[in-house]
Amino acid sequence: MRSTALFVLAALARFTQAVEPIVIKDGGFFGGDKQFFMVGVGYQPGGPVELDQGVDPFSTLSDCQRDVYLLQQLGINTIRTYAVNTTLNHDDCMSLFAAAGIYVVLDVNAPGWRYSINRDEPWTSYHAGYMANVFSVMEQFSTYPNVLGFFSGNELANEPKNANVTAPYMRAIQRDMRQYQKAQGLREVPIGYSTADVVEFRQDLGFYLSCIGDDEGHSDFYGINSYEWCGETTFQKSGYEKLTDLMEEVQMPNFFSEYGCNEVLPRTFGDANAIYSADMNHVFSGGIVYEYNQEVNNYGLVDVNLKTGNAKILPDYNTLREVYSKVELPTGETARKINRPKCSTVFPNIKAFDAVAAIPQLKEITDLIKKGVKVTAGKLVDVDLDLSGHKWTITDVEGNTVENPTIERVNTWNQVPSKSQTTGSSSSKESKNAAPGLKVGGNGLAVLAMAGLTTLGVMAGGLLVI
Ligand SMILES: *[C@@H]1O[C@H](CO)[C@@H](O)[C@H](O)[C@H]1NC(C)=O
Ligand SMILES: *[C@@H]1O[C@H](CO)[C@@H](O)[C@H](O)[C@H]1NC(C)=O
């Protein structure tokens, strides 16, 4: 086959339904008045490395151009990114993702002992230094309208015996994050948690994180990392039916924050069809396939050479693209009504772990919430979607070079608003980092915070949860 433009543009961005910040209503996510379903992949090229070398997933425009092209061609509307470094500038890349209609769910943690919670001894890592980095991620990223949510943690509890000790820290971190949002007038980006695929506590932890208590430490959403659907299976046999029943009882929006078993190869991604179907779409707001880039754990769709910048499309990319191109998203509203319980009724009924008392807030953290952290807030910039000067090459599965890659602009987020829009109002009650020209989602419904990346944490030695 001769190399030409690999894909037909017409298929692009069919899942991009919303062009404004996403908010939570009842059991679903909404952009404007339309329900939003995540069609996503995990995005952390390079994997679990410490981010102290001046590079992270949103710091190099030419890399983002390559990946936005490939992600847009894959037909997605959301990525999950596990770690960023707020000393870097992310405006170009975030603006490019925004222009391409791609939302970001972002973990507020990062590898390294200072930036993640130690799941065996969380009290040693929950301190003002840790929270300062969490707050800096919020300060910098809340201004980007395409940031959909923050994960306060990822798989902090990864076995029944550490749910006991870690669960109260999940609520403590979410409490601090929510207070920071309010005190500093940030856009109320939903805050939630990404839970490990552990059946013993998955539902109980959902109850625990959903309940409304005096601490305000609840999750706005619950992300489920699940690798139950392997090879050719069914809604019933895979365990997804059971999972849907369990999560329907948990009173908050749910989605798959990681999915895509690789125990049976090649992967067929049959679960993508189930997730958006009527069997599941009243409970789950879509999902995020693990993961974009090939790493040692062999889940990649694309193999990026981090030295040369060249990328090779892997067979699973084509399979997933085919599956996503056939998925029918619900056209109406499917989100169920939710009714959050009070913690006083939930706590005594949790069986899987002891829901111990709230972790007291440290004075240094309270001070930081009042004072704010110093970090440059992100802003949208005008980005060029022209890729003609690119230095990297992309090859397809047969080894042919992909010619003339292009990115399609699907919204106007990257167009710099006129002066009058940015400087016109000085109404101090307005959220200070609402994106220029965009209204702040003021319904206060969404609050999420998560903290860790399971896979990253495990690979980093079993203690670090990023
Ligand atoms: C960000 O980079 C700086 C400079 O290398 C480093 O000191 C800091 O630890 C990094 N932060 C994170 C979250 O990795
Ligand atoms: C949680 O801790 C309590 C004691 O604090 C203990 O009785 C219980 O067995 C623990 N649960 C698990 C699942 O380890």
Side-chain angles (χ1 to χ4, degrees), residues 34 36 46 60 71 75 95 97 104 219 266 274 284 398 409 430 440:
K34 285 193 77 180
F36 180 83
T60 312
L71 290 164
S95 301
F97 277 97
V104 181
S219 296
F284 290 95
E398 280 110 31
R409 184 190 300 277
E430 289 289 328
V440 181

Side-chain angles (χ1 to χ4, degrees), residues 86 183 255 302 341 439:
T86 57
F255 60 92
V302 170
K439 281 213 7 225

Side-chain angles (χ1 to χ4, degrees), residues 1-13:
M1 187 192 107
R2 293 197 330 163
S3 58
T4 50
L6 186 60
F7 306 117
V8 186
L9 276 175
L12 292 190

Side-chain angles (χ1 to χ4, degrees), residues 104-122:
V104 181
V105 199
L106 186 61
D107 288 70
V108 295
N109 298 275
W113 64 272
R114 277 197 64 162
Y115 307 120
S116 54
I117 292 288
N118 176 328
R119 58 164 66 98
D120 294 329
E121 299 178 323

Side-chain angles (χ1 to χ4, degrees), residues 15-23 29-32 34-43 58 68 71 76-81 94 96-106 144-149 187 189-190 288 410-411 413 438:
F15 292 124
T16 305
Q17 301 168 305
V19 288
E20 50 190 304
I22 302 292
V23 296
F29 292 80
F30 288 78
K34 285 193 77 180
Q35 199 179 339
F36 180 83
F37 291 86
M38 292 172 216
V39 181
V41 294
Y43 181 72
F58 300 122
V68 168
L71 290 164
I76 62 147
N77 62 16
T78 306
I79 55 172
R80 174 185 183 174
T81 292
M94 287 300 292
L96 188 67
F97 277 97
I102 298 174
Y103 289 87
V104 181
V105 199
L106 186 61
Y144 299 121
N146 56 328
V147 171
L148 187 163
R187 176 164 71 91
V189 174
I288 294 170
V410 301
N411 64 52
W413 277 349
L438 286 162

Side-chain angles (χ1 to χ4, degrees), residues 116-126 162 165-166 169 463:
S116 54
I117 292 288
N118 176 328
R119 58 164 66 98
D120 294 329
E121 299 178 323
W123 54 91
T124 61
S125 42
Y126 172 70
N162 58 25
V165 68
T166 54
Y169 284 91
L463 289 180

